């Protein structure tokens, strides 16, 4: 058996998330179907982490084992020909039998994009959350340092979860601004929240973003982030931000 | 009567171009329908220039006259609420009765995007043409200077046209490279061809791009561009490049 590792990207708009579920169209289902169409094998695709319904991936990492002797350099083209247009394999390599895309992941990075211009950008409308009024970026940035390091992130985890240990380590949390540089040059049209850690709880990034947006709107002080973190109570944090703004950005091994 | 001018953007994927046609869904039809839903008036929307089926616009300019007394600052939000998600009005202003979006346009800029990485970018798949092998950018750039200035562009105009005068002036034609900066940092993943002029013939940018791609592939020398231009014969130029890579970028008045 060979163990193959791929970098894939997907537009999650049309899918019920990564993980296979009955009567649902999922990324995992489409990948396993493509492998079956190519090799006749039923494989189990392992990802670095599941993404929710509507969440995208720029460079998700997956692996599966196969008996196929197709040379590794032909796999991406062969899979892409059997995948829908919104799922694309970019790189393929043969790895040691012990490699496991989730267990071996050292650092995952997500990006949440908020468009803050008055009107949506038609070309990115499926990949960013539209907040039609400006946000206080400095206040949002002040709320970020307390998140770095090892913490119990219970407050930023949906109550619908089976994970008992809620301790994770964040390595980086930063907010970047972008301008369209076009219709109103100089104005901030888009915020990108990049967050890296050793792992993320269910809805963790989206609940952080929901809280950050309330801070940016002036509905809460920046200091609320630390207060919420320490309380270990989901009810104190902000709402779960819309899935379409979230993209799994990259995974380091 | 008030004359209103708007900047609009649209994802042209789902439309049969800008201009109203029987039994077709077009941008103009959607705009006029939105105005009718808002005001009850039947207006005629004038654009800076028609775009073909599948061609996008980042900042198209339109105008129309109306008896409505709705304040100008409310128009974009009101129209956007009545337009499909793939057409967005960004700015509105009241202009002199004499303003005509096409006749007053001084300079139009188009951008044609070619993705040259091996596999498509899922997030831009509707807005760029995928050419899965690298192109010789230097050879393509060498072909551009001869296009600048006033020329008869008959060779770069579809034969299906009713325009008799094929003389136009190009002010700028440049090719920019972009890297995803990610999967294979340093590699060129995307080319953007920006071209500005006082006007464009039917399919002119797409035929130039089809010719440029042949030059980039090494199928023709860079000097062919001037030879084709001087011959005034459409049959000598390359094919018409796919519509989805083309975006009307901006219009100057």
């Amino acid at each position: 058996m060979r163990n193959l590792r791929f970098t894939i990207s997907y537009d999650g708009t049309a899918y019920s998330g990564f993980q296979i579920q009955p009567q649902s169209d999922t990324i995992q289902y489409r990948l396993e179907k493509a492998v079956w169409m190519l090799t006749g094998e039923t494989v189990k695709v392992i990802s670095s982490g599941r993404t929710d319904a509507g969440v995208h991936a720029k460079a998700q990492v997956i692996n599966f084992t196969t008996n196929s002797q197709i040379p590794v350099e032909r796999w991406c083209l062969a899979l892409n020909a059997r995948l829908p247009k919104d799922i694309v394999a970019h790189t393929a390599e043969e790895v040691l039998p012990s490699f496991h895309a989730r267990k071996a992941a050292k650092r995952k990075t997500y990006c949440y994009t908020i468009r803050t211009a008055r009107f949506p950008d038609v070309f990115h409308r499926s990949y960013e959350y539209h907040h039609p009024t400006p946000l206080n970026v400095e206040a949002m940035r002040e709320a970020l340092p307390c998140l770095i390091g090892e913490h119990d992130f219970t407050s930023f985890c949906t109550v619908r979860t089976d994970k008992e240990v809620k301790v994770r380590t964040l390595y980086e949390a930063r907010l970047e601004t972008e301008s369209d540089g076009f219709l109103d040059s100089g104005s901030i049209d888009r915020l990108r929240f990049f967050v890296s850690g050793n792992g993320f709880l269910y809805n963790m990034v989206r609940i952080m973003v929901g809280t950050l947006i309330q801070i940016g709107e002036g509905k809460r002080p920046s200091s609320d982030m630390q207060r919420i973190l320490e309380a270990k109570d989901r009810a104190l944090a902000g709402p779960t931000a819309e899935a379409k703004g979230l993209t799994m950005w990259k995974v380091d091994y």
Side-chain angles (χ1 to χ4, degrees), chain A:
Chain A
M1 294 287 274
R2 301 158 74 204
N3 189 9
L4 300 182
R5 166 184 164 164
F6 296 82
T7 306
I8 64 166
S9 57
Y10 46 85
D11 173 344
T13 309
Y15 299 97
S16 304
F18 187 88
Q19 191 183 9
I20 283 197
Q21 301 170 51
Q23 274 91 47
S24 295
D25 196 3
T26 67
I27 311 294
Q28 186 185 358
Y29 167 73
R30 292 291 186 156
L31 290 167
E32 294 183 0
K33 184 176 169 186
V35 176
W36 174 81
M37 289 165 78
L38 179 61
T39 68
E41 288 178 309
T42 302
V43 302
K44 181 167 189 293
V45 170
I46 296 161
S47 71
S48 75
R50 299 159 184 173
T51 51
D52 275 352
V55 173
H56 318 289
K58 185 168 174 182
Q60 169 72 285
V61 176
I62 61 162
N63 76 288
F64 56 84
T65 55
T66 173
N67 284 307
S68 164
Q69 292 309 309
I70 298 170
V72 71
E73 65 274 14
R74 293 204 198 148
W75 269 90
C76 287
L77 200 63
L79 282 184
N80 288 340
R82 290 159 180 86
L83 284 166
K85 298 282 181 222
D86 47 12
I87 305 175
V88 174
H90 288 274
T91 69
E93 57 188 310
E94 191 165 347
V95 288
L96 291 176
S98 59
F99 177 81
H100 185 285
R102 180 169 52 79
K103 292 180 185 167
K106 290 273 186 292
R107 177 184 170 125
K108 292 179 202 171
T109 301
Y110 281 89
C111 176
Y112 194 97
T113 307
I114 306 167
R115 173 154 176 98
T116 55
R118 192 165 169 217
F119 301 112
D121 178 334
V122 283
F123 304 113
H124 298 116
R125 68 189 188 279
S126 303
Y127 316 120
E128 55 194 26
Y129 166 66
H130 184 223
H131 185 281
T133 53
L135 293 168
N136 183 336
V137 176
E138 285 316 306
M140 294 165 81
R141 282 183 175 148
E142 280 174 30
L144 299 179
C146 69
L147 297 170
I148 305 302
E150 187 181 80
H151 302 287
D152 180 326
F153 286 99
T154 298
S155 296
F156 301 99
C157 179
T158 185
V159 289
R160 303 172 285 130
T161 184
D162 51 2
K163 291 213 174 90
E164 288 185 22
V165 180
K166 308 266 177 61
V167 175
R168 297 290 183 278
T169 300
L170 291 197
Y171 305 119
E172 188 175 23
R174 68 177 200 278
L175 191 66
E176 295 187 354
T177 61
E178 276 183 22
S179 171
D180 287 348
F182 199 63
L183 290 169
D184 298 291
S185 54
S187 65
I188 293 173
D189 298 308
R190 186 173 282 117
L191 306 181
R192 290 192 189 270
F193 175 59
F194 287 96
V195 59
S196 300
N198 66 350
F200 290 88
L201 303 170
Y202 193 54
N203 281 352
M204 182 167 150
V205 180
R206 291 165 60 192
I207 297 170
M208 282 180 178
V209 170
T211 310
L212 274 176
I213 288 172
Q214 292 183 326
I215 291 169
E217 289 170 337
K219 291 181 182 161
R220 291 174 178 275
S222 305
S223 57
D224 260 23
M225 193 67 91
Q226 180 144 17
R227 195 175 63 79
I228 294 164
L229 182 67
E230 288 170 357
K232 301 179 184 60
D233 178 358
R234 167 68 185 93
L236 294 186
T240 305
E242 208 178 336
K244 74 174 184 178
L246 186 60
T247 301
M248 167 173 275
W249 204 252
K250 66 169 179 166
V251 190
D252 297 314
Y253 288 91

